[in-house]
Amino acid sequence: MLAPERRRRSDLVAAAALVVVAVLALGTIWLRSDAHGTTSDTTHSPLPQLSVSMSVPESLIDIWHAHSPVTESPVVTGSAVVAGDDGTVTGRDPRDGSVSWTYTRDTSLCGIASSWNTAVVVYRDERGCSQATELDTSTGTRSAQRSSDADAQVDLVGDGTYLTSRGATRMELWRSDLVRTLEYGRVDAPVNPNTQPRSGCTLLSSASNSSRVAVLESCPGESAPRLTSMNPAPTDASQPEEYGSSVVASLTEENGTGGDETGQGATVIVASGDRVALAIPAHSGKPASIALFDGTAQPLGSYDLPDALSEPSFVDTPPPAKAASVFSWWTGSGTVALGLSDLAPLWSLPGSLGEGALMAGKLLIPIPEGIAVIDPATGAADRTIAVDRGDYIGPVGMSVIGGVIVEQRGDTITALAGTASP
């Protein structure tokens, strides 16, 4: 018979030391983890989906305000208005502005986007704007999350199928579970080298839809920006599949010496089907224009813009709003409606303050006097709803949720509601 095991004092001391080391290690991991710096305050009473408004109000009054310096245009879903300030995201009841839920991290927000009836929030870490989380906006609960390399500043734009995160050197497209479908541009540690078609380029702008993603980039040694049309979801996300690419001839200086400044201020407006529209600023004696390209990035034609709609640069203009039969695009000095399929300009409204939003079949466009109620098909103005914006005179982003019109004026979100027309 074997002698019974005896526990010596040294064994107990060693075991206790191992426990202490394990606790310290777990504590260190916890202190350094993303979870330690995250506070998620969800609600047990989900915000309801608001019914689509069947009429446009005759008059409007302010019903609530919120501070949201992270957003440039109101982020709304079917149930909430989502605001961002520093590292905190709040989901507000659009009817009264009350906070239903909050999501906070101990790092700064890069941006918030509404996509797939959720809010996707992106935070900054040592790798750039790389920490993405999807939030159910009715409750604030987390669903999909991802982390990947990114630039320090990114633009987040959804097209209904994909969400694009684009910085100056790198672009990714994500599907609704935040799985990456495409990476383009800078790849720090490629698994398969030489999979990107070009290197050292600056990504200027982009637009996507379910079948195409178009990117405008400035590449070393080229006389003007290059437009590239790609598959938004290639077989291998790390290997872009190009449908076509070309240097934009209309941006090349007449003497052919272009240089780095050629095409500064051009931007991709929208991609629809296999067509892409670019905004071309005035240059070399040529007026500002909208240039159309096919699915292989080859030119189809262009339309000159009147002086009243021509800004020196179109870079900071927001993505167009889809409104019934048109895309409504704000140039920085007026609104232009583009046909959904051919992207040809149909009508314009000089002097507007933003691209507007659709409500009860009408396109509501912010103007200095208030909100113009426009027929999207013709551009005819039905009437103007007076809105007092005080001393604010800048751009106005606009969204509609239920019977509430939400404006973003600088860092402030203002919700408006009123009496429906008979």
Side-chain angles (χ1 to χ4, degrees), residues 8 109 115 184 208 221 263 317:
R8 294 172 297 177
L109 269 164
S115 206
Y184 184 79
S208 64
T317 57

Side-chain angles (χ1 to χ4, degrees), residues 41 47 64 66-68 75 80-85 87-93 97-104 109 112 119 121 123 135 137 140 413:
D41 235 346
L47 290 171
W64 58 267
H67 192 55
S68 185
V75 176
V81 178
V82 183
D85 188 0
T88 298
V89 181
T90 56
R92 295 176 178 269
D93 189 326
S98 59
V99 175
S100 177
W101 53 264
T102 61
Y103 180 78
T104 302
L109 269 164
I112 308 171
V121 299
Y123 284 86
L135 300 174
T137 54
I413 292 173

Side-chain angles (χ1 to χ4, degrees), residues 21 29-31 36-37 98 118 128 133 141 188 194 213-214 228 294 331 397:
V21 169
I29 293 173
W30 165 250
L31 288 172
H36 174 257
S98 59
T118 67
T133 300
T141 56
D188 281 349
N194 303 318
V213 55
T228 300
D294 67 14
T331 70

Side-chain angles (χ1 to χ4, degrees), residues 205-207 214 216 227 267-272 274-280 289-294 301 320 327 329 338-339 342-345:
S205 59
S206 63
L216 189 69
L227 179 67
T267 191
V268 178
I269 302 172
V270 65
S272 180
D274 62 355
R275 287 201 170 196
V276 179
L278 261 61
I280 310 293
S289 63
I290 294 175
L292 303 183
F293 294 80
D294 67 14
F327 289 108
W329 172 59
L338 308 177
D342 61 7
L343 301 183

Side-chain angles (χ1 to χ4, degrees), residues 41-66:
D41 235 346
T42 59
T43 178
H44 297 294
S45 302
L47 290 171
Q49 292 276 320
L50 298 189
S51 300
V52 175
S53 179
M54 302 305 292
S55 60
V56 177
E58 290 289 341
S59 60
L60 292 167
I61 58 170
D62 293 5
I63 55 175
W64 58 267
H65 303 267

Side-chain angles (χ1 to χ4, degrees), residues 204-365:
L204 304 175
S205 59
S206 63
S208 64
N209 58 45
S210 60
S211 62
R212 286 287 194 282
V213 55
V215 60
L216 189 69
E217 56 191 326
S218 177
C219 296
E222 296 188 337
S223 60
R226 170 180 290 275
L227 179 67
T228 300
S229 177
M230 294 176 287
N231 184 347
T235 304
D236 185 337
S238 66
Q239 299 186 31
E241 295 176 7
E242 290 190 358
Y243 295 129
S245 182
S246 66
V247 172
V248 181
S250 58
L251 287 172
T252 305
E253 296 284 6
E254 291 178 357
N255 61 11
T257 60
D260 292 339
E261 298 302 313
T262 303
Q264 188 175 27
T267 191
V268 178
I269 302 172
V270 65
S272 180
D274 62 355
R275 287 201 170 196
V276 179
L278 261 61
I280 310 293
H283 71 289
S284 306
K286 301 175 183 177
S289 63
I290 294 175
L292 303 183
F293 294 80
D294 67 14
T296 61
Q298 301 305 309
L300 292 171
S302 65
Y303 301 84
D304 290 346
L305 289 172
D307 290 342
L309 298 170
S310 301
E311 287 288 289
S313 171
F314 299 114
V315 170
D316 294 326
T317 57
K322 188 174 182 180
S325 58
V326 301
F327 289 108
S328 176
W329 172 59
W330 188 58
T331 70
S333 55
T335 302
V336 178
L338 308 177
L340 286 185
S341 56
D342 61 7
L343 301 183
L346 300 176
W347 54 263
S348 63
L349 180 63
S352 66
L353 303 177
E355 68 276 15
L358 190 69
M359 185 179 198
K362 299 294 184 180
L363 179 57
L364 307 185
I365 297 181

